[in-house]
């Protein structure tokens, strides 16, 4: 069975601070994908990143970076120099199997609410 | 390209009433998914359409929930009769056709959700 744990329910930081959102997952499959989504106040889930289980390279995109460690089953997300616009709920998700088949059903964590104060 | 749209954005109904939620996927997307998030909990899968066919409805809570996708375009999710525990945010997502052999083609695009409150 798949499981995604986001232990941090809410994080509050002041602008320009760095913040890391934790994600720990469980799966028995060797092929799987991990995702992060952002849910801003407008409500829609915005895709941020997808990482497959065979690619442990960390990724950086602007102020965002992701640290994938299979040894600890973690896929943590760091925002550097946070801004007020980063305030949102962030969801980590996991999907087993090969996505090239055309569809997948992700298992989501409970989400972490990030509040960035000016 | 227009994104996934959902209507209404909010709905407040009394226990026992009926509510119908609508989702318009991105044009040309064959896959349509419904999810629900109860306050503070995980986003949970409800069901998956491929065109007008239900591919997987294993996440539907009970027979008070009925989803349809006539003609393979928009989808509706009806809750009848609504119960208090049905309150939550209902998300819809869509993705391209299956069988393209590309991981990117399976990417799900989410709508803004419908917040349902049952009192």
């Amino acid at each position: 069975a798949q499981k995604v744990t986001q232990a941090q329910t809410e994080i509050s930081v002041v602008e320009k601070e760095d913040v890391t959102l934790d994600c720990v997952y469980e799966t028995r499959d060797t092929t799987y994908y991990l995702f992060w989504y952002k849910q801003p106040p407008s409500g829609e889930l915005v895709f941020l990143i997808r990482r497959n289980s065979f690619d442990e390279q960390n990724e950086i995109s602007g102020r965002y970076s992701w640290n994938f460690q299979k040894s600890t089953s973690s896929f943590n997300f760091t925002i550097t120099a946070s801004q007020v616009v980063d305030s949102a709920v962030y969801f980590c998700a996991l999907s087993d199997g090969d996505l090239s088949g055309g569809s997948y059903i992700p298992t989501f964590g409970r989400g972490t609410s990030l509040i960035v104060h000016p | 390209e227009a994104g996934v749209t959902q209507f209404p954005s909010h709905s407040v109904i009394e226990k026992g009433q009926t509510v119908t939620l609508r989702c318009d996927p991105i044009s040309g997307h064959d896959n349509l998914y419904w999810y629900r998030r109860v306050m503070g909990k995980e986003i949970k899968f409800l069901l998956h359409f491929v065109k007008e066919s239900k591919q997987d409805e294993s996440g539907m809570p009970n027979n008070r929930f009925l989803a349809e996708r006539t003609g393979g375009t928009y989808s509706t999710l009806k809750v009848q009769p609504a119960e208090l525990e049905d309150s939550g945010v209902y998300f819809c997502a869509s993705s391209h056709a299956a069988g393209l052999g590309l991981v990117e083609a399976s990417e799900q695009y989410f709508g803004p959700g419908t917040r349902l409150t049952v009192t």
Side-chain angles (χ1 to χ4, degrees):
Chain A
Q2 303 176 67
K3 185 178 179 182
V4 175
T5 302
Q6 294 180 257
Q8 303 148 309
T9 304
E10 183 177 295
I11 301 175
S12 183
V13 299
V14 177
E15 213 170 16
K16 297 185 184 176
E17 284 185 31
D18 298 347
V19 58
T20 296
L21 310 182
D22 297 333
C23 173
V24 174
Y25 63 92
E26 295 176 31
T27 178
R28 292 179 182 170
D29 278 0
T30 55
T31 302
Y32 53 88
Y33 285 79
L34 294 161
F35 305 80
W36 275 95
Y37 291 88
K38 174 182 180 180
Q39 185 188 25
S42 53
E44 76 281 10
L45 286 168
V46 177
F47 166 83
L48 294 178
I49 189 172
R50 173 187 56 246
R51 173 67 68 209
N52 76 54
S53 53
F54 299 107
D55 183 1
E56 283 192 77
Q57 238 181 351
N58 292 330
E59 179 151 342
I60 298 174
S61 176
R63 296 184 297 106
Y64 294 173
S65 62
W66 290 269
N67 183 0
F68 176 26
Q69 298 213 347
K70 288 176 79 168
S71 60
T72 55
S73 297
S74 65
F75 187 44
N76 297 338
F77 172 31
T78 297
I79 301 175
T80 303
S82 59
Q83 299 176 2
V84 172
V85 294
D86 295 327
S87 297
V89 181
Y90 292 86
F91 292 93
C92 181
L94 162 73
S95 182
D96 286 346
D98 181 5
L99 268 57
S100 62
S103 64
Y104 61 92
I105 307 298
T107 297
F108 287 89
R110 292 192 172 197
T112 296
S113 177
L114 174 64
I115 303 168
V116 181
H117 299 280
Chain B
E1 180 182 87
V4 177
T5 57
Q6 294 186 244
F7 181 82
S9 56
H10 292 86
S11 180
V12 181
I13 61 172
E14 293 184 355
K15 176 182 171 181
Q17 289 185 322
T18 297
V19 63
T20 299
L21 313 181
R22 173 171 169 145
C23 168
D24 285 79
I26 293 172
S27 178
H29 279 191
D30 286 349
N31 292 295
L32 188 149
Y33 306 81
W34 282 99
Y35 297 87
R36 177 176 72 175
R37 186 187 188 214
V38 173
M39 177 68 76
K41 303 242 173 140
E42 303 88 349
I43 298 170
K44 290 204 170 178
F45 166 75
L46 296 179
L47 89 159
H48 168 212
F49 283 99
V50 177
K51 296 186 180 179
E52 66 274 11
S53 300
K54 291 176 187 174
Q55 184 76 11
D56 181 352
E57 51 184 330
S58 61
M60 294 288 262
N62 51 60
N63 59 10
R64 294 185 294 102
F65 289 74
L66 175 65
E68 294 181 326
R69 192 183 182 196
T70 307
T73 54
Y74 71 90
S75 174
T76 58
L77 179 64
K78 180 191 287 188
V79 185
Q80 179 183 31
E83 298 288 344
L84 298 179
E85 64 264 25
D86 301 332
S87 295
V89 179
Y90 290 76
F91 291 100
C92 175
S94 70
S95 69
H96 282 289
L100 295 179
L102 297 171
V103 171
E104 291 75 17
S106 67
E107 195 57 62
Q108 294 184 30
Y109 296 84
F110 283 80
T114 292
R115 182 174 297 278
L116 174 64
T117 303
V118 183
T119 63

